[in-house]
Amino acid sequence: MKRAAPLLPTLLAGCNGIQTMTGGQGLESQGFNGLFTVFNVVTGLFFLLVLAGLAAAILRRRGSRGDGMADERAVDPRDGALTKLLVGWVVLVGLGLALLTIFSWLGDRRAVAASADPLVDITVTARQWWWQVDYGGVQANQGFTTANEIHLPVGVPARITLRSNDVIHSFWIPNLAGKQDLIPGRQNDIIVTPTAVGRYRGQCAEYCGLQHAHMAFDVIVESREDFARWRMAQLAPPPAPDNPLRQAGYNYVTTRECASCHNINGTNASGRIGPDLTHVASRLTIGAGTYPMTRGHLYGWVADPQSAKPGNQMPVVGLDPNELHAVVAYLETLR
Ligand code: CUA
């Protein structure tokens, strides 16, 4: 026991991670965790009762060894005690099933009540292998597009509409809610109500091709004030380049290959095939959770995206070193 003690924090830390079903940092996941506990207790109790019955039967048979009459007595339908035991067992099973049904129904009602008035409206479109994230606005010009990162205000229900552009994916933020599939040609949705500020990790939960494992996203749950600030920053156009190197990068990105796949608000880059880059440098990761957003990884990605994440849709453009420096210097200003 003493030797095992140092391992305890490690085990507990597994329940406090940024990607864990037992985190319970959302109303929906708390509901599931409650149901999971009830189901475990009820079914565990019945499992123990069945084992006890089995043990009693074995002990009874052993106790009667050598007595030929005892075995016949054990299955005698006129045995009143046995009949009572069986009736009691059937009633108990009925009660257990009723309990599970009632708790399931209550859990369902709770989820529906929480989703009655979603205040944040987001559409997530899955693509091989990244997430397009569109925030709707109350007014027409308040919507914006980002990628691989979802910000949510704490305590506010968000309705996330789920679509797919290619194959079936599955949207999953274990700390906050359950899974929901994104299916080409149809629209699903999921309600997420975060209850604790923090950074969490979402992950595609349906095998969708070569880079399925690298199809993750960051979820930032923040105070309403911080969320409003982030929203305003996302709506603003990025700053204009303010030195010759950045200007050269701007010229390259907005007029050459990059512009046909990527969008940057307020510039000529208006492609819709790859992730929106308007505020790419403000995100925490690059390549849908594949690498942290650092200068080194930005260089690596732009220079050779096929080594960074083999099979993804971004071709190797073949920039010379000067172009690469300029492009990265400009991308870093897109905050
Ligand atoms: Cu998308 Cu797996």
Side-chain angles (χ1 to χ4, degrees):
M1 191 61 211
K2 258 187 181 170
R3 280 189 194 165
L7 290 174
L8 202 60
T10 318
L11 286 173
L12 291 175
C15 306
N16 286 318
I18 58 169
Q19 185 182 338
T20 168
M21 275 160 45
T22 55
Q25 284 101 352
L27 269 190
E28 292 72 19
S29 64
Q30 284 161 17
F32 292 142
N33 289 352
L35 269 186
F36 187 63
T37 307
V38 170
F39 270 71
N40 267 337
V41 168
V42 171
T43 53
L45 215 62
F46 275 95
F47 179 64
L48 290 178
L49 282 174
V50 169
L51 284 190
L54 185 65
I58 291 171
L59 290 176
R60 181 171 170 167
R61 189 173 170 86
R62 277 200 181 153
S64 64
R65 199 167 273 171
D67 176 2
M69 295 303 288
D71 285 345
E72 279 167 34
R73 209 173 52 234
V75 289
D76 186 347
R78 288 162 297 176
D79 188 336
L82 186 67
T83 309
K84 275 182 195 158
L85 206 65
L86 279 174
V87 170
W89 176 246
V90 169
V91 170
L92 204 63
V93 169
L95 279 177
L97 287 175
L99 200 69
L100 295 184
T101 309
I102 290 168
F103 272 92
S104 296
W105 185 80
L106 287 176
D108 198 45
R109 290 296 91 193
R110 192 178 135 139
V112 169
S115 67
D117 191 19
L119 298 172
V120 181
D121 165 35
I122 303 171
T123 300
V124 169
T125 308
R127 290 157 173 257
Q128 283 173 316
W129 293 276
W130 59 281
W131 310 86
Q132 180 182 320
V133 183
D134 292 285
Y135 279 75
V138 183
Q139 283 150 23
N141 59 352
Q142 283 185 334
F144 59 89
T145 300
T146 180
N148 305 323
E149 192 167 302
I150 296 175
H151 286 239
L152 297 170
V154 68
V156 179
R159 169 174 285 127
I160 304 178
T161 303
L162 303 169
R163 303 164 188 269
S164 171
N165 209 44
D166 34 51
V167 299
I168 298 177
H169 305 262
S170 180
F171 181 89
W172 193 28
I173 314 169
N175 293 65
L176 304 186
K179 293 175 189 171
Q180 186 68 274
D181 278 0
L182 307 95
I183 301 167
R186 69 169 279 176
Q187 186 174 302
N188 280 345
D189 60 36
I190 188 169
I191 303 287
V192 177
T193 315
T195 55
V197 168
R199 174 188 174 181
Y200 309 109
R201 187 178 186 275
Q203 169 65 40
C204 179
E206 175 94 30
Y207 181 71
C208 55
L210 185 61
Q211 292 294 346
H212 156 69
H214 289 143
M215 188 168 168
F217 55 101
D218 292 290
V219 182
I220 318 294
V221 177
E222 53 203 354
S223 70
R224 291 185 188 209
E225 295 75 27
D226 286 347
F227 176 75
R229 257 194 293 278
W230 174 80
R231 183 176 196 127
M232 291 310 292
Q234 293 291 310
L235 282 167
D242 57 359
N243 70 31
L245 185 65
R246 289 171 181 167
Q247 184 65 50
Y250 171 91
N251 293 346
Y252 194 99
V253 169
T254 59
T255 58
R256 300 281 295 274
E257 298 88 339
C258 323
S260 52
C261 290
H262 294 285
N263 176 69
I264 301 172
N265 286 350
T267 75
N268 287 331
S270 57
R272 296 281 168 193
I273 295 169
D276 189 293
L277 299 182
T278 306
H279 295 288
V280 64
S282 74
R283 297 180 204 143
L284 293 172
T285 61
I286 189 171
T290 309
Y291 299 105
M293 178 64 76
T294 63
R295 176 174 288 174
H297 287 302
L298 215 46
Y299 266 99
W301 186 275
V302 175
D304 189 358
Q306 289 304 318
S307 291
K309 188 171 174 178
N312 86 80
Q313 304 261 323
M314 181 163 160
V316 178
V317 175
L319 301 168
D320 69 39
N322 288 334
E323 289 168 337
L324 182 60
H325 284 312
V327 165
V328 170
Y330 172 59
L331 290 179
E332 282 185 320
T333 68
L334 300 178
R335 297 196 59 82

